[in-house]
Amino acid sequence: MPESDQKTTPGHITETAPAVTATRRTGLLVTLVLGGLTALPPLSMDMYLPALPQVTGALHAPAATVQLTLTACLAGMALGQLVVGPMSDKWGRRRPLLAGMVVYVLATAVCALAPTAELLIGFRLLQGLAGAAGIVIARAVVRDLYDGVEMARFFSTLMLISGAAPIVAPLIGGQILRITDWRGVFHVLTVIGVLLTVVVWRFLDETLPAGRRQQGGVGAALRTMRGLVADRVFAGYMLAGGFGFATLFAYISASPFVVQEIYGASPQTFSLLFGLNSVGLVALGQINGKLLVGRVSLDKVLAWGLGTIFLASLALLLLTSGAFGEAGLFPIAACLFVLMSAMGVALPNTNALALMRTPHAAGSASALLGTTSFLVGAVASPLVGIAGEHTAVPMAVVQIVCAVLALACFLGLCRPWRNSRSEL
């Protein structure tokens, strides 16, 4: 039997998932800690957004240069996961996580003091590299503690916490700017980082026993990752999740222009719609965890989620291209709401199904999942504005292409209709 077939089969999670003892289950506080670790990256990105115009003036830098502070942080979060994930498989979860959090705090503090845009870009890159530890290790810890149905439910719980971060982050950033300047945003992020580091040190125990850790150096880590990518089913879930996440990135990048510039909504209306869409994502995530998981096959739920994303993207393309005449804001907003809500089903289940196959290398697997999502999203985001700021068609095209690719990877590589563990 090939090695890839010896892993847990996602389609039979209720039969093959090992029992998880009560002593390994997380309490409420640790759940909040893991949620905080996954919420820290969107806080670091989105809390800073309202301050961009102010940074441009304060540092006497062009807008394009200041935009690189966002790109640098995003690139750091993507690449940092590839480093931290294998480290956590070799040395355990606590040490790499605490080291990453300490570096995050120091880098964020320097960002608050940066005298030039170039220095700010450099330390935003370091901030992203260090902050990646929270993303990748939080997922690995969940894999250490849970399996099967329980893991899928826990990912849905994390989405409730981390999904709220993009909603409140710009609001917090805007309120900070009412009482101080852009540097105050980084002061607040520094305080959050310090508090989270202390809580991790105090309450998050090691979840990877020494006997289950990977041996070897960089070469062994690369071989482990190569083996994961060579696992057809894991690669299918990884790519399906990455392309699904890219539709979310496309929405985040384009929606301010689409809703406000093209359809004439006020900033307040845009904020309301953005908040409603985020609530839809979180709500479907909770329905997934509380009602669907354990009653319906995860592959079936994932297929429904990806199919809904495709249909919503197709409807957006037809509406924005004028196939039904001139469309107003309401039908566009309705399609975006359906698309975003379906993310609450698709994203946690791709993570859960992929990690079910990798109990031997959860850190490396988590790194590949996160890096793929960030990199594909980063490539998709600029494409939504390729035709300028006065048409929503590019956003819809990017979203439907990503949705089709996500479905193709899921169906073509994962082959969810197969109930046998054998490869044909």
Side-chain angles (χ1 to χ4, degrees):
M1 180 181 293
E3 180 190 6
S4 62
D5 292 335
Q6 296 174 7
K7 305 176 182 68
T8 304
T9 303
H12 294 278
I13 56 175
T14 57
E15 298 176 6
T16 61
V20 181
T21 62
T23 57
R24 295 177 63 201
R25 297 183 186 278
T26 58
L28 176 60
L29 181 57
V30 176
T31 302
L32 294 175
V33 172
L34 295 178
L37 291 172
T38 57
L40 190 60
L43 284 176
S44 301
M45 292 290 293
D46 297 342
M47 193 185 297
Y48 175 63
L49 293 178
L52 284 177
Q54 197 177 104
V55 176
T56 302
L59 298 182
H60 307 290
T65 300
V66 174
Q67 286 286 347
L68 289 177
T69 62
L70 294 176
T71 304
C73 188
L74 183 62
M77 289 178 186
L79 299 176
Q81 295 183 64
L82 290 177
V83 177
V84 178
M87 287 173 58
S88 73
D89 282 338
K90 181 178 181 180
W91 294 317
R93 312 305 184 199
R94 270 179 61 86
R95 284 191 291 172
L97 177 56
L98 287 171
M101 291 303 300
V102 170
V103 175
Y104 172 88
V105 169
L106 295 176
T108 306
V110 175
C111 287
L113 304 173
T116 66
E118 291 74 19
L119 190 62
L120 181 59
I121 291 170
F123 278 92
R124 283 284 278 175
L125 175 63
L126 183 59
Q127 183 192 40
L129 287 168
I135 311 173
V136 67
I137 293 180
R139 276 196 300 261
V141 167
V142 174
R143 182 61 186 91
D144 293 339
L145 296 172
Y146 293 98
D147 206 339
V149 168
E150 292 299 323
M151 180 167 58
R153 284 176 176 159
F154 198 89
F155 274 125
S156 294
T157 301
L158 284 187
M159 180 157 284
L160 174 63
I161 301 171
S162 61
I167 306 175
V168 302
L171 301 177
I172 295 174
Q175 294 305 310
I176 292 171
L177 294 178
R178 291 171 64 92
I179 58 176
T180 184
D181 62 4
W182 65 273
R183 298 182 188 275
V185 174
F186 289 107
H187 288 309
V188 172
L189 286 172
T190 301
V191 172
I192 293 174
V194 169
L195 293 175
L196 195 53
T197 302
V198 171
V199 173
V200 167
W201 174 75
R202 176 66 180 83
F203 295 105
L204 188 62
D205 296 329
E206 180 58 62
T207 59
L208 185 66
R212 291 174 51 201
R213 296 177 188 176
Q214 297 287 313
Q215 303 300 318
V218 175
L222 292 176
R223 286 192 295 272
T224 298
M225 286 190 172
R226 185 169 63 246
L228 292 173
V229 174
D231 176 6
R232 173 177 53 76
V233 179
F234 174 84
Y237 290 126
M238 178 183 71
L239 291 173
F243 285 116
F245 198 65
T247 65
L248 176 62
F249 264 66
Y251 160 77
I252 293 173
S253 300
S255 60
F257 300 104
V258 171
V259 174
Q260 296 180 80
E261 300 297 329
I262 299 175
Y263 292 98
S266 66
Q268 291 74 26
T269 300
F270 166 72
S271 298
L272 176 62
L273 293 176
F274 191 90
L276 286 174
N277 290 340
S278 299
V279 168
L281 184 150
V282 171
L284 260 290
Q286 295 312 292
I287 291 174
N288 176 66
K290 304 297 183 183
L291 299 178
L292 299 179
V293 172
R295 295 179 174 87
V296 183
S297 163
L298 290 187
D299 278 319
K300 289 182 180 178
V301 178
L302 177 56
W304 179 89
L306 293 176
T308 302
I309 291 171
F310 165 75
L311 293 175
S313 301
L314 178 61
L316 273 171
L317 180 60
L318 294 174
L319 288 170
T320 56
S321 62
F324 302 116
E326 186 175 352
L329 177 61
F330 179 78
I332 298 295
C335 290
L336 289 173
F337 177 80
V338 173
L339 186 150
M340 282 288 289
S341 297
M343 294 288 176
V345 170
L347 296 184
N349 287 339
T350 52
N351 284 333
L353 285 162
L355 288 173
M356 282 177 199
R357 298 185 64 83
T358 60
H360 60 294
S364 296
S366 178
L368 287 171
L369 291 172
T371 300
T372 300
S373 295
F374 273 93
L375 290 181
V376 176
V379 171
S381 294
L383 299 179
V384 299
I386 198 169
E389 302 175 1
H390 305 292
T391 174
V393 172
M395 177 191 74
V397 169
V398 170
Q399 289 178 325
I400 195 167
V401 168
C402 290
V404 169
L405 290 173
L407 272 172
C409 291
F410 172 57
L411 296 175
L413 296 176
C414 302
R415 302 174 188 174
W417 59 86
R418 291 189 175 183
N419 293 325
S420 173
R421 296 181 62 183
S422 61
E423 297 283 333
L424 295 182

